[in-house]
Amino acid sequence: VRTMDRANQDDCKPQPGDALLIVDVQNDFLPGGSLAVPRGGEVVPVLNGYLRIFAARGLPVYATRDWHPERHSSFRPQGGIWPPHCVAGTRGAEFAAALQLPPSAVIISKADTAERDAYSGFQGTNFDQQLRTASIQRLFIGGLATDYCVLNTVRDALRLGYEVFLLADAIRAVDVQPGKGLRAEQEMTRLGAQRITVEEIAA
């Protein structure tokens, strides 16, 4: 299914002022992880396609990660709703081994204090300041999970005035409630995010 007409395809080609943002593609969210996103591993090869395109154009890459202390407030033993996951310094918090992040990728750690959770890469970080310093105006956003950290990061990016391209082929949802991922995609589109696929920007 094509997500935009040919007249708009040139507008979505990565160019100076653009950045690729990969959200939380960490082992604990992948198959076998403590909070695995259904079919989460499917985003990795697609994201690698985007990474190759951005590398070929010399454009920046950012990657967010949950970087929790051991007794984080979102964990069930502390009264939260999630099993323990992405504890700082553990294998579960590492990026997927097959994800081809360049050495120049800027890592944004979030929810790194026990009392505060953060679904958005902008929440409690200096990410917005980093982007403005780098003169970034458009963000190409994909990763995990559609209905939590991708949704909230896209919401904040749009609220802060960035143009957002949602990598429709490189997101997967937790879907704790059936259909929540689809509703999240619809909300992001309604708020102004443009859906694209790797084939469209590589064409």
Side-chain angles (χ1 to χ4, degrees):
V1 177
R2 303 197 69 80
T3 55
M4 60 171 58
D5 60 44
R6 190 173 299 278
N8 290 329
Q9 282 185 24
D10 285 344
D11 292 340
C12 76
K13 301 290 187 188
Q15 57 193 261
D18 295 351
L20 178 62
L21 172 55
I22 295 175
V23 176
D24 294 11
V25 182
Q26 297 168 266
N27 288 327
D28 272 343
F29 298 132
L30 297 172
S34 65
L35 187 48
V37 176
R39 300 167 52 219
E42 295 175 0
V43 305
V44 175
V46 185
L47 287 169
N48 286 338
Y50 286 103
L51 283 162
R52 287 189 289 271
I53 291 167
F54 274 72
R57 290 164 170 76
L59 297 172
V61 173
Y62 297 83
T64 65
R65 64 181 181 184
D66 275 357
W67 199 244
H68 298 317
E70 288 186 4
R71 296 174 59 82
H72 191 254
S73 59
S74 73
F75 298 167
R76 286 176 188 147
Q78 278 69 53
I81 63 172
W82 304 116
H85 63 276
C86 298
V87 172
T90 65
R91 182 185 176 280
E94 293 173 5
F95 292 111
L99 185 66
Q100 297 165 358
L101 285 175
S104 60
V106 178
I107 310 304
I108 308 296
S109 299
K110 59 187 175 66
D112 57 356
T113 59
E115 68 279 357
R116 185 167 57 187
D117 202 7
Y119 289 134
S120 167
F122 293 94
Q123 187 178 347
T125 71
N126 67 345
F127 185 33
D128 179 44
Q129 180 183 341
Q130 289 191 50
L131 292 173
R132 295 190 190 283
T133 299
S135 300
I136 301 302
Q137 297 172 321
R138 306 197 309 174
L139 290 171
F140 291 66
I141 302 177
L144 302 171
T146 308
D147 38 351
Y148 287 94
C149 293
V150 172
L151 170 62
N152 284 277
T153 299
V154 166
R155 276 178 181 158
D156 279 353
L158 291 165
R159 177 179 57 79
L160 290 164
Y162 297 96
E163 188 173 348
V164 172
F165 293 93
L166 177 66
L167 312 185
D169 50 352
I171 53 176
R172 295 294 183 273
V174 179
D175 268 339
V176 173
Q177 294 93 28
K180 189 171 183 181
L182 177 59
R183 291 191 295 274
E185 290 190 56
Q186 292 169 339
E187 178 179 345
M188 288 184 277
T189 303
R190 178 177 58 77
L191 291 172
Q194 301 177 59
R195 293 168 56 89
I196 59 165
T197 65
V198 71
E199 287 81 7
E200 286 169 345
I201 69 170

